[in-house]
Amino acid sequence: MSEARPRRARATRWEPLTVGIDIGGTKVLGAVVDSTGTVVALDRRPTEGHDVRKVEDTIVDIVSEFARRYDVAAVGIGAAGFVDVTRTVVMFSPHLDWRREPLRARVAERIRLPVVVDNDANAMALAECRFGAGRGHRFVLCVTLGTGIGGALVLDNRVYRGANGMAGEFGHMQVVPEGHWCECGNRGCWEQYASGNALVRDARELVRSTSPMAHQLRTLVDGDADALDGPQITQAARDGDPLSIELLADVGRWLGVGLAGMAAAFDPGCIIIGGGLSESGDFLIEPTRQAFHRTLTGRGHRDEPVIVQAELGPNAGFIGAADMARSAARRSRRGRLRRSRTGKPRRRLFERPGLTGTD
């Protein structure tokens, strides 16, 4: 009897360092991230107005500085706005003057590394699924609560992007016909009732009123309602202010009702609540769970998804972007190895914009 053929050793997977960039309305966050989601180095720069070129200059400066100190293999960019399905063009951004901006090609022309671009909520969701609150779940719904509501649906570690790359704009589902006007031009959008903007709007209205319930918040800002912001309301709730607790609970109730509708449509196993407003913790999460349970279709006859707070906080965006870039780096490396084996002439990495990043 011949001896069994020894099993070939499996090649060790290449785990490069990559750069993640998170572009917001007021700041650009950049970080070098390893394959475990650990932040190796961090840089923070202000967003200089709405000038597109200055933002791109800032991205290039951050990446160049990191590349001088670390052996980075690719760059991922998370941008607030609509990113097309090819993940190359920012179609529209509410914070910057990006209109059909070929961001990936413009950055790749200057940094000589693979580049991938995606919506910032998609990046956050992927990070939470791989390294944060969504670990161990196959079907995850993420919502981010800030000035509005963003989000993403992650299926088996893959972000669902839709036909045009614009899936996940959950905040613009209509929940109240003829309700509050929304910046999108419609009325009654979900984010007008379950977001940081909704919380602050209602609190400021009460501060301007003569309601004795608003005494603590009014004192907090010396009567200047316009000076009141979300973190102050959250802190007031922690300090025991009944109105602040009720305002957060009201947002949570609206959030739970909307999430019940999302669960009826997508049947996730886990729902992650992130964004700045999620920092209010159980003041928001518990009312959300209660409203969700009361509203969910088939309640009592189905397994309900767990509703959890995001774990990675403000780092989620650039961690997710860096992880997307790692996949791009591996694909680029495999392509170079194939070309070297076949003896075909090597094409310059960024000879044409369409060849940058991932396809």
Side-chain angles (χ1 to χ4, degrees):
M1 182 179 297
S2 62
E3 293 183 0
R5 181 177 297 176
R7 183 174 295 178
R8 186 170 60 182
R10 190 172 182 176
T12 303
R13 193 178 193 188
W14 185 49
E15 301 289 4
L17 293 175
T18 51
V19 176
I21 302 288
D22 185 12
I23 304 172
T26 60
K27 64 184 181 302
V28 177
L29 291 175
V32 177
V33 183
D34 71 14
S35 61
T36 68
T38 301
V39 177
V40 177
L42 179 65
D43 194 356
R44 176 186 177 120
R45 309 278 182 93
T47 302
E48 298 186 22
H50 293 262
D51 189 286
V52 173
R53 296 295 172 266
K54 287 184 178 179
V55 173
E56 290 172 2
D57 289 343
T58 300
I59 295 170
V60 171
D61 286 345
I62 291 173
V63 174
S64 299
E65 179 62 30
F66 284 148
R68 282 192 285 270
R69 294 186 287 148
Y70 302 95
D71 183 18
V72 295
V75 177
I77 301 173
F82 294 140
V83 178
D84 77 332
V85 72
T86 67
R87 291 185 283 168
T88 62
V89 178
V90 181
M91 304 298 289
F92 168 79
S93 173
H95 304 301
L96 298 166
D97 293 332
W98 277 334
R99 304 294 184 268
R100 296 186 178 274
E101 180 70 17
L103 180 61
R104 188 176 77 172
R106 291 191 184 280
V107 173
E109 286 171 359
R110 302 172 61 184
I111 65 173
R112 314 296 296 169
L113 289 170
V115 176
V116 62
V117 177
D118 209 337
N119 173 266
D120 58 349
N122 288 346
M124 169 265 178
L126 187 64
E128 287 289 346
C129 288
R130 286 182 56 80
F131 308 113
R135 284 172 297 181
H137 294 277
R138 293 180 58 199
F139 305 103
V140 179
L141 174 68
C142 291
V143 293
T144 58
L145 308 179
T147 55
I149 299 178
L153 186 66
V154 182
L155 310 175
D156 282 330
N157 278 328
R158 295 179 67 88
V159 175
Y160 174 74
R161 293 182 171 82
N164 301 298
M166 299 178 185
E169 296 297 327
F170 307 138
H172 297 290
M173 300 184 302
Q174 188 185 54
V175 295
V176 180
E178 302 305 314
H180 290 297
W181 281 104
C182 181
E183 286 83 355
C184 75
N186 293 324
R187 297 183 69 169
C189 291
W190 187 26
E191 68 178 40
Q192 292 303 311
Y193 300 87
S195 67
N197 267 6
L199 173 71
V200 173
R201 179 198 62 221
D202 292 348
R204 287 176 177 176
E205 287 179 4
L206 286 163
V207 167
R208 293 186 185 102
S209 74
T210 58
S211 170
M213 287 291 292
H215 172 74
Q216 187 166 333
L217 290 179
R218 193 180 297 112
T219 302
L220 191 64
V221 294
D222 294 326
D224 182 5
D226 292 335
L228 189 63
D229 60 24
Q232 289 173 314
I233 299 168
T234 296
Q235 186 57 53
R238 295 188 184 114
D239 293 339
D241 176 38
L243 177 61
S244 298
I245 293 170
E246 180 57 31
L247 286 168
L248 285 164
D250 195 43
V251 169
R253 285 189 286 270
W254 278 110
L255 182 60
V257 169
L259 289 176
M262 300 291 293
F266 298 112
D267 189 27
C270 175
I271 297 174
I272 300 174
I273 300 174
L277 189 54
S278 70
E279 297 301 314
S280 56
D282 283 343
F283 290 112
L284 175 76
I285 304 296
E286 280 306 315
T288 298
R289 290 178 177 141
Q290 294 167 14
F292 179 89
H293 178 74
R294 289 195 303 268
T295 314
L296 180 65
T297 300
R299 54 194 175 276
H301 303 284
R302 61 181 291 176
D303 291 335
E304 295 188 13
V306 295
I307 298 177
V308 294
Q309 183 178 349
E311 293 181 1
L312 301 179
N315 293 354
F318 58 71
I319 290 175
D323 200 59
M324 291 179 182
R326 190 165 293 105
S327 296
R330 292 190 185 112
R331 281 189 282 272
S332 177
R333 184 173 186 253
R334 286 196 296 268
R336 293 196 301 273
L337 291 174
R338 281 195 298 269
R339 287 192 294 273
S340 67
R341 285 196 296 266
T342 59
K344 291 181 179 179
R346 180 179 177 181
R347 178 183 286 131
R348 291 179 63 189
L349 185 58
F350 299 126
E351 184 177 339
R352 288 187 289 122
L355 296 178
T356 60
T358 60
D359 296 313

